Amino acid sequence: MSWTWFHKLASPPHAYRILGSLAPWFGWASLALILLATWWGLVKAPADYQQGDGFRILYVHAPSAWMSMFTYVVMAVAAGVGLIWRIKLAHAAAAACAPIGASFTFLALATGSIWGKPMWGTWWVWDARLTSELLLLFLYLGYMALRASFDDPQRADRASAVLALVGVINVPIIHYSVNWWSTLHQPASVTKFDKPSIDLAMLIPLFLMIAGFQLYFGWAVSRRLRGEILRRERNANWLKEAA
Amino acid sequence: MTAVRTPTLAAAKLVFQRDMTLAWRRWDEVAQPLIFYVVVTTMFPLATTPDLSALRVIGGGVVWVAALLASLLALEALFRADVEDGTTEQWVLSGQPLGYLLLAKVAAHWVLTGLPLVIMSPIVGTGLGLPTSVWGVLMSSLLLGTGTLSILGGIGAALTVGVRRGSVLLSLLVLPLAMPLLIFGSRAVSMQMDGDSPAGPLQLLAAIFFMALSLGPIAMSAAIRISVEN
Amino acid sequence: MVVDGALFEAREINAWRGDRHILRDVSFSVRPGEFLKVTGPNGVGKTTLLRVICGLLPAEGGELLWRGKSIRGRRDEFNFELGHLGHLNSLKGDLTARENLKFLAGLRTTLTAQTIDATLDRVGILSRGDLPARSLSAGQKRRLALARLLLADAALWILDEPVTNLDTAGIRLVEELIVDHLEHGGLAIAAAHQRLLDDAPCLRRLELEP
């Protein structure tokens, strides 16, 4: 079996070029989708019968919550690939994912909190979803702190990869335990997403926004990964030749 | 001289024995987490109210939080001395499966710090207004919980052993991962107090423990191998 | 292709330390009864090479062969035939000399009190057997580490500056131990600044260049 295509793809100069040509596509497509979804969500979609216009923050909150989980899984998969097959590019990708995932998590927490103010009258409630997001933020922060505390980038890569893998096994357990905890404590509370049916007109912009966020993720990862490659390969010949 | 290769189980037993011997010669260090545990739980009545019936509501949770913090505190130095003096290097090169040796070390550590916390917990709990009827659940939940935490903390300690400001970092890494333990453990105690059966959360704690037991050694040995790369 | 009669072989080993490409295509082979002395100025990568052989540092590219077969995927088997004496003595100050051997060398081979005593005698610190390692002198600690190496009963010795802290009698002891090991069909690879078996027929040199 030939793995040459794979190794070629994973070679830094090649990856650097490909990412450079991909990034603008991701960037413009995500901008277009996010603008479209924003217009659709804010103007075209009907107001909620219970929450009025306040629910519209859902169009930022739900996609960022989804992306925060998605990014963690991508990060852990990249870290695992890097650890097992010793591919530096995969470690670099994991490193590039972490701040993006942490930002998504933070955005989900912030929008959830802003949403909570009109709904519950306080900035923070120990709702299952928000609590899970908070714990996920802790996981991201721990990952980044561990990575930052090594001087040797290769040790940083491998140590943080072990942590990401332990973390990704734990994420479902944390999620489940928080849900369980929350239902025990607030059996009658209003949960945000359990409405019997959500109008299709409300759903379309949501999906558009999720797609836009995914593309944004692609753009952000491409750019950060290029930065990582430059930083890691600063002494390599191909870069000196290119400069 | 023809040497007989040591069986893995005997090797793990040697590691366990060694740590017990070392602890016996440094018993004052072993007692510290236990003292910390009692001191932390004393802070809660002082900070809130001396009323036992009010304390009872948070009692289970307080015992759990204090136990987690105390055993984490002790875990920080778990591998430090062994990495610094080159012992772990020899473990890596011993030809024995590293994960088992590390698990034996964690087991010794648990016997020295986790188990005393478990045994002490009814006394501490009584101070927080917990009735004798919850002793069994409190101890069994802590038994499973501190066991899992020792393994999680062992992974964290192995990752942070050669790192600046390791102790704060260790807490930052391990505490979020330990949240499910806290949730299930303290809920088991309060369910028992409310007259519900705590079997559900206890079984979940046991499941998490066995998962940690089977996967933990793999993660620990990977982490130690990274730490000896110097 | 295996070099004739070689028990251990390194092929085109490359290793990095941070940004520095320290080992570039280092190849050599060692036959039974041979002592390979790795020399070169400070920082040239002697310790790195020894640690790569032990698997304590990852190599990038290159292959290690033991008994004609690549050790990839057979690390534990290889490790069991490998005895390592590093910069660190791997001793616990709170344990006695005997206990140190029991708990560390005992992980590899099953030891009896007699074998431990015989080995302590061989390295000349039998009378210190029940003292805590902390109270031993630097040279005695090194001797204790040598005792651990002997008890490992390994075919391939990897020695990093084995004569550090040793007096002339100690250096002679190390030379005797190595020669004895080689006469029993063993191999040894060492990094050393000092004279060590420099005129012996079993010696081969590997000069690392910066």
Side-chain angles (χ1 to χ4, degrees):
Chain A
M1 193 163 58
S2 166
W3 282 89
T4 42
W5 63 270
F6 186 73
H7 281 289
K8 195 177 172 206
L9 201 66
S11 87
H14 201 71
Y16 186 79
R17 270 195 306 275
I18 289 193
L19 290 169
S21 49
L22 276 180
W25 292 95
F26 278 130
W28 291 113
S30 92
L31 187 68
L33 267 180
I34 289 174
L35 284 177
L36 175 66
T38 309
W39 168 77
W40 201 317
L42 292 188
V43 181
K44 199 156 176 269
D48 186 72
Y49 71 102
Q50 257 184 337
Q51 301 175 34
D53 282 330
F55 92 98
R56 293 185 200 272
I57 202 166
L58 166 104
Y59 294 126
V60 182
H61 176 75
S64 27
W66 156 253
M67 289 308 295
S68 66
M69 306 267 177
F70 173 82
T71 308
Y72 199 91
V73 174
V74 171
M75 181 176 91
V77 169
V81 169
L83 195 65
I84 296 167
W85 288 290
R86 301 201 161 212
I87 297 171
K88 284 187 195 163
L89 188 69
H91 281 306
C97 279
I100 302 171
S103 317
F104 278 130
T105 317
F106 184 76
L107 191 60
L109 278 173
T111 50
S113 157
I114 293 168
W115 193 0
K117 186 61 179 159
M119 257 185 86
W120 295 300
T122 76
W123 291 107
W124 181 262
V125 286
W126 289 98
D127 156 81
R129 186 167 289 261
L130 283 181
T131 311
S132 282
E133 284 293 324
L134 185 62
L135 294 185
L136 188 64
L137 183 64
F138 293 160
L139 290 185
Y140 275 120
L141 293 178
Y143 177 89
M144 291 194 287
L146 181 67
R147 190 172 259 294
S149 60
F150 284 96
D151 295 324
D152 177 357
Q154 285 167 37
R155 287 180 69 191
D157 279 344
R158 298 173 55 213
S160 54
V162 172
L163 183 70
L165 290 176
V166 174
V168 84
I169 294 174
N170 255 274
V171 163
I173 301 177
I174 292 176
H175 202 69
Y176 174 79
S177 69
V178 168
N179 277 335
W180 181 82
W181 161 82
S182 150
T183 51
L184 278 182
H185 283 274
Q186 319 161 298
S189 83
V190 192
T191 55
K192 283 179 268 177
F193 295 91
D194 285 357
K195 290 202 210 71
S197 66
I198 180 164
D199 194 273
L200 192 66
M202 290 176 173
L203 267 184
I204 291 172
L206 183 62
F207 285 133
L208 283 176
M209 193 64 106
I210 290 177
F213 269 50
Q214 292 273 14
L215 287 168
Y216 168 80
F217 170 78
W219 176 76
V221 166
S222 310
R223 300 215 17 153
R224 288 200 66 91
L225 189 49
R226 269 167 70 93
E228 281 285 329
I229 293 175
L230 280 187
R231 203 170 58 76
R232 287 158 187 250
E233 299 278 314
R234 59 184 175 275
N235 292 331
N237 285 332
W238 66 270
L239 261 181
K240 287 180 186 141
E241 281 157 21
Chain B
M1 191 169 72
T2 49
V4 184
R5 193 167 177 170
T6 310
T8 300
L9 202 61
K13 211 172 119 192
L14 276 174
V15 171
F16 185 86
Q17 254 183 352
R18 187 202 67 144
D19 276 24
M20 288 306 202
T21 315
L22 282 171
W24 183 247
R25 286 174 200 171
R26 291 276 160 131
W27 63 270
D28 49 322
E29 284 174 20
V30 176
Q32 284 169 9
L34 195 61
I35 299 167
F36 175 85
Y37 177 53
V38 177
V39 171
V40 167
T41 47
T42 311
M43 292 167 78
F44 282 85
L46 295 176
T48 56
T49 165
D51 177 16
L52 282 185
S53 58
L55 282 172
R56 182 170 303 151
V57 181
I58 56 162
V62 170
V63 172
W64 256 89
V65 170
L68 286 190
L69 291 179
S71 41
L72 206 57
L73 195 74
L75 277 162
E76 191 242 324
L78 184 64
F79 294 115
R80 179 152 303 153
D82 283 331
V83 168
E84 279 171 3
D85 68 21
T87 303
T88 38
E89 242 171 57
Q90 293 302 324
W91 287 356
V92 171
L93 298 175
S94 67
Q96 301 285 358
L98 183 60
Y100 288 107
L101 302 185
L102 298 176
L103 193 62
K105 182 166 175 69
V106 167
H109 180 266
W110 178 80
V111 170
L112 292 164
T113 58
L115 192 59
L117 295 179
V118 175
I119 294 169
M120 192 66 134
S121 58
I123 301 170
V124 168
T126 306
L128 294 166
L130 295 182
T132 52
S133 59
V134 303
W135 283 15
V137 177
L138 183 65
M139 288 177 79
S140 47
S141 67
L142 278 172
L143 203 65
L144 293 165
T146 53
T148 312
L149 188 77
S150 287
I151 297 171
L152 280 178
I155 301 170
L159 286 173
T160 56
V161 69
V163 149
R164 304 179 297 268
R165 302 182 312 276
S167 60
V168 183
L169 185 59
L170 176 67
S171 314
L172 186 57
L173 302 188
V174 176
L175 283 177
L177 300 176
M179 296 293 183
L181 306 177
L182 181 70
I183 290 174
F184 294 134
S186 55
R187 277 305 297 177
V189 177
S190 54
M191 283 167 91
Q192 171 78 5
M193 229 165 4
D194 298 344
D196 296 330
S197 162
L202 284 182
Q203 281 160 2
L204 288 166
L205 278 178
I208 297 175
F209 173 69
F210 285 112
M211 204 168 114
L213 195 63
S214 53
L215 297 178
I218 304 171
M220 269 192 283
S221 66
I224 281 289
R225 280 175 207 278
I226 295 163
S227 290
V228 297
E229 274 176 25
N230 248 323
Chain C
M1 189 188 71
V2 179
V3 175
D4 203 29
L7 208 53
F8 179 77
E9 198 185 338
R11 284 185 191 163
E12 294 177 355
I13 299 296
N14 280 275
W16 293 72
R17 277 250 141 133
D19 275 344
R20 292 201 303 136
H21 192 174
I22 290 201
L23 301 179
R24 288 175 195 264
D25 294 332
V26 176
S27 301
F28 60 89
S29 62
V30 192
R31 294 192 184 87
E34 263 182 350
F35 173 54
L36 185 76
K37 187 169 169 183
V38 185
T39 55
N42 281 330
V44 77
K46 298 189 293 292
T47 296
T48 303
L49 176 63
L50 297 189
R51 292 183 74 85
V52 164
I53 294 173
C54 294
L56 293 173
L57 271 181
E60 288 176 40
E63 201 162 31
L64 298 173
L65 287 88
W66 177 246
R67 298 190 189 283
K69 275 186 272 181
S70 169
I71 64 163
R72 199 165 293 159
R74 306 190 301 137
R75 262 285 166 198
D76 277 352
E77 253 175 85
F78 174 61
N79 282 346
F80 186 66
E81 295 202 79
L82 177 133
H84 173 247
L85 182 70
H87 283 282
L88 300 164
N89 288 326
S90 313
L91 301 176
K92 285 275 161 222
D94 282 343
L95 298 176
T96 67
R98 277 202 177 81
E99 286 170 332
N100 266 298
L101 292 180
K102 173 183 158 193
F103 288 131
L104 201 48
L107 295 182
R108 303 173 59 112
T109 52
T110 308
L111 302 175
T112 61
Q114 289 93 321
T115 48
I116 290 180
D117 280 3
T119 313
L120 283 174
D121 196 24
R122 181 82 177 89
V123 298
I125 50 170
L126 181 58
S127 59
R128 303 282 185 271
D130 288 321
L131 288 181
R134 170 177 339 97
S135 65
L136 300 180
S137 74
Q140 287 168 335
K141 283 180 185 156
R142 201 62 178 160
R143 283 166 184 255
L144 185 52
L146 281 169
R148 173 181 46 74
L149 176 72
L150 288 177
L151 287 171
D153 197 46
L156 172 62
W157 283 5
I158 305 288
L159 315 169
D160 199 353
E161 302 294 345
V163 292
T164 312
N165 291 326
L166 289 177
D167 53 16
T168 32
I171 296 174
R172 210 159 45 239
L173 171 72
V174 173
E175 292 185 329
E176 275 171 33
L177 293 177
I178 293 176
V179 169
D180 193 44
H181 175 63
L182 300 180
E183 277 169 4
H184 286 84
L187 297 66
I189 302 175
H193 282 110
Q194 294 91 338
R195 288 181 61 81
L196 186 66
L197 288 172
D198 276 3
D199 306 317
C202 55
L203 178 86
R204 276 184 43 220
R205 282 174 196 274
L206 176 69
E207 180 87 26
L208 291 182
E209 275 151 28

